[in-house]
Amino acid sequence: MMFEASPDLILVTDRKGVFLRVSPSCEVILGYSPGEMLGHSGRDFLYPADLDRTRSEMRRARRGRVMRNFESRYVHRDGRVVTLAWTGIWSEAEEKHFFIGRDVTEQRTAEELFRLAVEACPAGMMMIDRGGRVVMVNGEIERLFGYHREELLARPLDTLTAAQFRGEHAQMRAECAKPQGRGKSGKTREMVAVSKDGIEFAIEIKLTPVWIRDGLLYLAVVLDISDRKRADRLKDEFVSTVSHELRTPLTSIAASLALIKGGGLAKAADGGAKLVSIAANNAQRLVRLVNDILDMEKIQSGRLVFEVSKVDVAAVAALAIEHNRTLATEYGLQVRLNAEQGELCVKADPDRLVQVITNLLSNAIKFSPRGEEVVVAIGRRVDAVRITVRDRGSGIPEEFRGRIFDRFAQADSSDARQKGGTGLGLSIVKEIVARLAGDLGFESAVGQGTLFWVDLPCWQSGDTLSERSMEEAV
Amino acid sequence: MSSLRIMHVDDDDDIREVVSMSLALDPQIELKSCNSGTLALQEAAAWQPDLILMDVMMPLMDGPETLIRLRKQEPTAAIPVIFMTAKAQRHELEHFRSLGAAAVFAKPFDPLSLAESLRGCLAQLARPA
């Protein structure tokens, strides 16, 4: 009766594994009827890779060892692979094997899926015992810490964190294990971890208690937050710098107006006029700064639409020179345009190209000695047009050259501020040139001057306006 | 009110100008302005001000570096330094205070009460702990 009704597969085989009796459940488990299986042996149904292992296990059974939960895979009639967990004995008296096989396919598939999910998880996962020792890790933990799995198992978790955080894990575990904390995730904490090669990196770790039959384990989910920390730091520095740059002219404006309003003008006869002039100049500086910051932000976030068309570089350069005419007069110098003969056209947004040349030109004017000449030259390269702006100023100090295109970089801030610089002009130039698929650089000799050059791709006859405009507008 | 010698150090011409006009409201204050930390080190040793009011962000030698050097040279080692800075986020102010500044004033400042604030700060320093 039991033989007939059993959901498990019951088999009786001879010494060679030939089926002598097969329970009807074989129809469900392997897709064959008992009649089809009788007279065949296990090897006719076994998954080929498991054949030798299964034969060895049967030999051991014949030597008197009871087979318990021995798993081997079989091929179902429909081609599926089925995993059976066998319990069996060998009867020397009857010279027969008696087996009961349970279908554990679903369980094994679920386990395999779970294992694959844990391994594929982009977050580091590890299980920790009550004593803080690692009992399981996934691949991401190996990658993060640089250890092989075997090196991590049984290792105290504390050895993976920077010295100042050792001991915090025990505290986290204690909080997690509190009766009221059962089943709840602990707090997420930020720590500094240490990889196998001693490199420290920021992590976020969250412990969750996992109650199993033998007691309590903790699941630690570990995220590498180095990039986030770096981005936060850059953002903080930027906010701090912008705040500083805005407050500086604001200080002069606010103080000047307060002195005027409070009647506290200096004893000098021109005190009032001086204060008004300071307020006005710094208000202008503030406007330039805000405009530059907004331009920079729009360019970097990709929100600035570039209307790319065929641009005659000489015409754009002449326009930029015109924009700087008053400044050049104020600084007492000449600006000369020196363009090669013939058509010099590039793929660019004309307004942005004017901005590039204007920024380079106004720098050149401000840092040139009175009476000198600034030259804007345009020439043809192989497949680009080169625009250069040359001044005869004091040159760029060696130590400043590496960060000249950084935001708010000024070699000598007092000098630059007095000249109305925001520290953003060259970074804007760099961003625009990059968006126009161009190249940018400079040559400078202390005491002799500086030459900035910009190469922009030539306008080709096959170029279309719309495609490029669309691409840039995205 | 007692006479007071104050040295102001800032690389921004306009801020030096408005500080100068602001402190001129107190006739007992004698002011010397410097546009760099390097100049301040020389001038402070010779002029011996009662107080140095100094910007933080200056090129070549910034405020904190100037403070360290002032402390290292005997004639200026004990002169109180007050930072006046546009780096005015809370953690920044705390940091500048931790460098040994007697006080940290945020920019923008009130020019009508600057002299009084500086005097108040000096009075506090003079009080026995």
Side-chain angles (χ1 to χ4, degrees), chain A residues 236 239-241 243-244 247-248 251-252 254-256 258-259 262 264 266 271 274-275 278 282 285 412-414 417-418, chain B residues 11-15 17-18 21-22 24-25 27 55 57-59 85-89 92 106-112:
Chain A
D236 287 348
V239 168
S240 167
T241 309
S243 147
H244 176 268
R247 276 169 184 271
T248 301
T251 299
S252 297
S256 300
L259 283 167
K274 179 102 190 173
L275 287 172
I278 288 175
N282 281 278
R285 183 168 139 198
D412 176 346
S413 64
S414 59
R417 276 192 208 145
Q418 300 320 318
Chain B
D11 60 311
D12 190 298
D13 290 351
D14 291 342
I15 289 179
E17 188 75 42
V18 289
M21 289 191 186
S22 165
L25 297 173
D55 184 23
M57 295 279 285
M58 294 187 289
T85 177
K87 286 252 179 194
Q89 295 186 63
E92 292 169 329
K107 289 178 182 172
F109 63 96
D110 176 9
L112 301 179

Side-chain angles (χ1 to χ4, degrees), chain A residues 6 26 43 54 102 221 237 263 265 268 329 355 359 373 421 452:
Chain A
S6 170
C26 64
R43 68 166 179 242
T54 307
R102 171 154 295 175
V221 176
E237 280 170 13
L265 298 183
T329 308
Q355 194 175 4
N359 284 5
E373 185 183 59
F452 276 93

